[in-house]
């Protein structure tokens, strides 16, 4: 990852606006969905406002976004009793990824004309190169947050979707699995991130996991798939 620290630093700096937008957007999507279903908890706790954006960030999720290009935000406090039916649960669980996807479409379409002239993953001279890098960074950050949070890991949106769909049929199974996985989920995440430093092994693990969610959306938005420096969630045949 750090074989070229200057390239890493430049790429990270251009990704910061994307991080500042993608993580709050994800959590705000959940908050708006809960509020729409009659839950006033997010509003009462100040999560329908962007006046205090730090509320949306968690330290570990932010560091992961900076160093490994994937991350998560602070979970929004909600009244889960408002999500009694399957539809309500799915709307809430998918609202965060949907918010990221919408922003990825907006900024991806804004980036699309620029990639005819500059590479979106290479920092080049201003002003066109800087603009392309910032817009692409926002586009990528939103797709990355969307894809990572859709992974079936307890506590993440992907697991909650699976649980909402199948828990009633197998309540004991999900209770046992959730309890066991929650006990080791941080060790799994730490192991996954450490594996990124293993040459020829870890560099593709995160990308491989994100590919099913990231690559189709990226291909539809930009007409091809590309990642970001040090993370490539694209199939070999889907590149730009």
């Amino acid at each position: 990852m750090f074989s070229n620290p200057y390239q890493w630093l430049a790429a990270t700096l251009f990704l910061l606006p994307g991080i500042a937008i993608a993580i709050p957007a994800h959590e705000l999507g959940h908050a708006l969905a809960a509020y729409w279903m009659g839950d006033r908890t997010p509003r009462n706790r100040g999560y329908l406002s962007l006046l205090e954006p730090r509320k949306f960030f968690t330290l570990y999720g932010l560091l992961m976004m900076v160093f490994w290009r994937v991350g998560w935000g602070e979970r929004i406090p909600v009244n889960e009793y408002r999500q009694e039916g399957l539809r309500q649960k799915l709307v809430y669980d998918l609202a965060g990824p949907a918010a990221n996807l919408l922003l990825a479409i907006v900024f991806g379409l804004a980036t699309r004309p620029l990639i005819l002239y500059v590479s979106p993953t290479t920092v080049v001279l201003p002003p066109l190169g800087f603009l392309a890098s910032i817009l692409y960074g926002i586009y990528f950050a939103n797709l990355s947050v969307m894809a990572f949070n859709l992974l079936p890991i307890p506590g993440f949106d992907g697991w909650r979707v699976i649980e909402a769909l199948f828990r009633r049929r197998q309540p004991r199974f999900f209770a046992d699995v959730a309890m066991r996985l929650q006990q080791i989920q941080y060790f799994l995440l730490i192991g996954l991130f450490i594996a990124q430093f293993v040459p020829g092994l870890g560099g593709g693990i995160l990308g491989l996991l994100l590919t099913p969610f990231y690559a189709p959306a990226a291909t539809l938005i930009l007409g091809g798939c590309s990642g970001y420096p040090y993370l490539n969630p694209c199939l070999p045949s889907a590149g730009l």
Side-chain angles (χ1 to χ4, degrees), residues 18-51:
I19 297 173
I21 291 174
I23 291 179
H26 183 94
E27 302 306 331
L28 189 59
H30 287 306
L32 288 172
Y35 185 79
W36 176 70
M37 290 186 289
D39 185 358
R40 299 298 181 259
T41 307
R43 185 189 66 180
N44 296 337
R45 299 286 186 89
Y47 283 93
L48 290 183
S49 170
L50 293 175
L51 295 179

Side-chain angles (χ1 to χ4, degrees), residues 109-162:
L109 293 179
T111 306
R112 193 163 183 167
L114 299 178
I115 64 177
L116 297 174
Y117 306 99
V118 296
S119 171
T121 58
T122 303
V123 179
V124 296
L125 294 177
L128 190 62
F130 281 9
L131 177 61
S133 295
I134 291 173
L135 291 177
Y136 184 82
I138 299 173
Y139 153 83
F140 166 82
N142 276 281
L143 273 192
S144 174
V145 170
M146 178 202 77
F148 189 66
N149 280 273
L150 284 174
L151 294 179
I153 299 173
F156 284 20
D157 299 327
W159 177 263
R160 289 197 289 265
V161 168
I162 294 174

Side-chain angles (χ1 to χ4, degrees), residues 87-101:
R87 184 180 70 87
Q88 288 89 344
K89 291 180 182 295
L90 291 178
V91 167
Y92 174 77
D93 294 337
L94 294 174
N100 289 130
L101 179 60

Side-chain angles (χ1 to χ4, degrees), residues 65-213:
M65 196 71 194
V66 170
F67 286 97
W68 285 277
R69 317 310 193 196
V70 293
W72 60 90
E74 186 69 42
R75 188 173 181 181
I76 297 294
V78 296
N79 181 0
E80 294 189 359
Y81 290 105
R82 289 282 184 177
Q83 304 168 26
E84 296 180 352
L86 175 61
R87 184 180 70 87
Q88 288 89 344
K89 291 180 182 295
L90 291 178
V91 167
Y92 174 77
D93 294 337
L94 294 174
N100 289 130
L101 179 60
L102 178 61
L103 286 176
I105 292 172
V106 171
F107 284 96
L109 293 179
T111 306
R112 193 163 183 167
L114 299 178
I115 64 177
L116 297 174
Y117 306 99
V118 296
S119 171
T121 58
T122 303
V123 179
V124 296
L125 294 177
L128 190 62
F130 281 9
L131 177 61
S133 295
I134 291 173
L135 291 177
Y136 184 82
I138 299 173
Y139 153 83
F140 166 82
N142 276 281
L143 273 192
S144 174
V145 170
M146 178 202 77
F148 189 66
N149 280 273
L150 284 174
L151 294 179
I153 299 173
F156 284 20
D157 299 327
W159 177 263
R160 289 197 289 265
V161 168
I162 294 174
E163 192 174 25
L165 291 172
F166 301 107
R167 187 180 182 91
R168 287 188 178 182
R169 300 179 186 177
Q170 299 289 339
R172 184 174 179 179
F173 169 80
F174 277 95
D176 291 343
V177 170
M179 181 180 67
R180 297 189 184 199
L181 287 180
Q182 283 176 353
Q183 293 174 347
I184 64 171
Q185 63 176 319
Y186 287 107
F187 295 101
L188 291 174
L189 289 172
I190 291 171
L192 178 63
F193 296 131
I194 291 177
Q196 293 297 99
F197 291 103
V198 179
L201 173 63
I205 291 179
L206 278 175
L208 182 64
L209 292 175
L210 299 185
T211 294
F213 306 107

